[in-house]
Amino acid sequence: MWELALIVSLSIIAAVPLTYFVWMHSCQRKKANADALIVLGYRCDGNQIHPLLKERLDTALHLFRKYDYRLIILSGGAVKSNLTEAEIMRDYLLAQGVPGNRMLLESRSRNTVQNLVNCNLVLQENGLSTFLLVSNSFHLRRMRYIMKTLGLTASLYAERNWKSILLYQWRLTFQEIRAFRLTLPWLEKAVNMKSPQMMGGKKGAASREA
């Protein structure tokens, strides 16, 4: 009898992380037209594009060619690189044929809260009202929570590439529990700002390539 009880207990224990994993990667996503396409950065050790960031950029490239976005906003400061993540993303998209004058760089943000706060200001400054956010599958639920707390409305999209999820995203999926806790103080700071302002590093708010 104890063997059966052990099997049942182990099955329940195994079901909890599996349920969490499936829930995290089943966040609603939607391809949609909008004024702007926003790509959130990911750390670029030694100025090299991480496979997860390449996945975001390739997804954005596909969407940009399919829909009528006025601009692509690339968001990310220098966290693990000399160049900002926005600059590294720009160089990649330029090499893929995206015109420089269709890209805006937000180069101050160092986390997801700052990404969204700063990009919202960039949108306002450029007369853009609708946007679609591109990231990876593991990231969408936290992005949705941050957006809801900040009162922002947008479509979210990520490729559900199971090879990528199993190779790169499975560990990050469980690390999102810690990332969510780290997000809360930044989110509180953003909500309590007396007036809208850029968050993060000292580099310029946004710049468009010539």
Side-chain angles (χ1 to χ4, degrees):
M1 182 65 69
W2 69 267
E3 292 96 337
L4 178 60
L6 178 61
I7 292 172
V8 172
S9 298
L10 291 175
S11 298
I12 293 172
I13 291 171
V16 172
L18 179 60
T19 300
Y20 165 80
F21 191 88
V22 171
W23 176 75
M24 283 292 288
H25 289 280
S26 60
C27 182
Q28 184 180 12
R29 55 192 186 138
K30 182 180 179 182
K31 295 180 182 179
N33 203 2
D35 292 335
L37 182 65
I38 297 176
V39 188
L40 301 190
Y42 190 83
R43 74 172 191 267
C44 299
D45 298 347
N47 296 331
Q48 298 299 307
I49 293 180
H50 190 279
L52 288 179
L53 182 56
K54 183 179 184 299
E55 181 180 303
R56 298 180 189 186
L57 292 167
D58 289 342
T59 299
L61 190 61
H62 170 74
L63 292 171
F64 181 71
R65 288 170 174 167
K66 183 176 181 180
Y67 294 96
D68 188 27
Y69 302 104
R70 289 168 55 189
L71 292 170
I72 301 177
I73 300 174
L74 306 171
S75 177
V79 178
K80 294 285 187 178
S81 53
N82 295 323
L83 296 174
T84 66
E85 293 165 10
E87 291 169 330
I88 293 169
M89 290 191 285
R90 171 208 58 197
D91 292 345
Y92 180 84
L93 291 179
L94 283 172
Q96 306 305 312
V98 178
N101 61 5
R102 300 287 296 279
M103 292 186 278
L104 278 172
L105 277 57
E106 183 286 299
S107 302
R108 294 184 56 164
S109 56
R110 298 173 65 86
N111 58 51
T112 305
V113 173
Q114 293 177 0
N115 283 140
L116 296 177
V117 168
N118 293 356
C119 283
N120 187 47
L121 290 173
V122 173
L123 289 164
Q124 294 174 18
E125 291 167 359
N126 289 274
L128 305 168
S129 58
T130 59
F131 60 104
L132 183 146
L133 287 163
V134 174
S135 189
N136 302 106
S137 184
F138 77 90
H139 197 200
L140 294 190
R141 290 218 178 260
R142 184 156 56 97
M143 287 167 58
R144 186 178 295 281
Y145 176 79
I146 295 170
M147 286 172 51
K148 182 178 179 180
T149 305
L150 294 175
L152 301 177
T153 302
S155 298
L156 302 175
Y157 191 75
E159 286 293 335
R160 288 217 179 100
N161 181 327
W162 286 104
K163 180 180 179 181
S164 168
I165 289 173
L166 294 175
L167 281 177
Y168 302 110
Q169 298 188 46
W170 69 269
R171 187 186 300 272
L172 291 168
T173 302
F174 292 100
Q175 289 178 352
E176 278 293 286
I177 298 172
R178 178 175 179 269
F180 176 81
R181 293 199 302 268
L182 294 175
T183 287
L184 295 178
W186 286 107
L187 195 50
E188 182 179 5
K189 182 177 180 180
V191 170
N192 292 331
M193 285 192 299
K194 294 182 179 179
S195 60
Q197 57 185 292
M198 289 282 176
M199 301 179 71
K202 296 180 180 179
K203 202 148 185 174
S207 60
R208 186 181 304 188
E209 292 302 297

